[in-house]
Amino acid sequence: MNRNDESDARPDGPHPHAAAAAREWALQERAREDERRGAPMSEDEPRLAQYRLLSRALRAPPMEPIPYGFAEQIARRAQAAAEAGDGIERWLQRLLLLGLVVASASLIVGGATDWLAGVDAAVRRLPAGVVSWGALAGACCLLSWGCSAAARAAGLEPAASARAA
């Protein structure tokens, strides 16, 4: 049984909201008719004006649907923009690193006469086998890092960020 049927069956009369709903319905129908006829809007009935705007919006033709593959196209554009930005950033990082290497090399070479004698004296004070073992460990680290970098550059090893994920 419908809820409205139950409320209409009460001895005290119809549902108290039925009159308000009937007024709203009549206002909506009037707004639809006024809009269809092109009657001017009146400022003294704001609720009618709201319903007329709603009626006008509902009568307007629907928007064009988005084209097939729209999300895919947008994703490709975003990926291309991100890759272009990453490429510029990588080149700027390389340029900065090159600048730091050149600056460091010039400082090292320029002050070599001052610090080279101190390093030579410190190395001579070390026990006999330490320098050769230290050089061997350094060479192993450099060789390992160099091989990893070459493999990454050749695409044989995943990047560090891919491994961390």
Side-chain angles (χ1 to χ4, degrees):
M1 198 182 218
N2 192 335
R3 182 176 173 176
N4 289 335
D5 293 339
E6 289 175 12
S7 63
D8 290 343
R10 282 194 244 150
D12 59 340
H15 194 274
H17 296 292
R23 281 192 306 273
E24 286 294 313
W25 180 264
L27 199 56
Q28 291 171 11
E29 287 297 315
R30 182 176 157 206
R32 188 178 59 83
E33 281 300 315
D34 286 355
E35 192 60 32
R36 187 182 59 77
R37 286 184 292 127
M41 274 201 202
S42 123
E43 294 181 13
D44 58 338
E45 295 181 82
R47 191 79 172 149
L48 181 64
Q50 288 176 340
Y51 283 131
R52 284 192 64 178
L53 288 174
L54 184 60
S55 176
R56 188 178 302 158
L58 290 173
R59 280 188 346 178
M63 293 186 337
E64 289 282 326
I66 59 174
Y68 182 76
F70 177 75
E72 210 174 286
Q73 293 171 4
I74 296 300
R76 276 196 305 261
R77 285 183 191 168
Q79 183 68 29
E83 288 173 0
D86 288 348
I88 292 170
E89 188 176 338
R90 273 190 241 120
W91 278 105
L92 289 174
Q93 286 176 346
R94 289 175 184 159
L95 185 63
L96 179 62
L97 183 62
L98 179 66
L100 288 173
V101 167
V102 168
S104 299
S106 67
L107 286 174
I108 289 172
V109 170
T113 55
D114 297 336
W115 60 265
L116 198 52
V119 170
D120 186 42
V123 168
R124 290 183 191 276
R125 280 184 264 155
L126 292 174
V130 170
V131 174
S132 60
W133 282 108
L136 182 64
C140 286
C141 288
L142 286 176
L143 182 66
S144 173
W145 292 334
C147 288
S148 292
R152 268 194 314 273
L156 301 174
E157 181 179 306
S161 61
R163 273 186 273 156

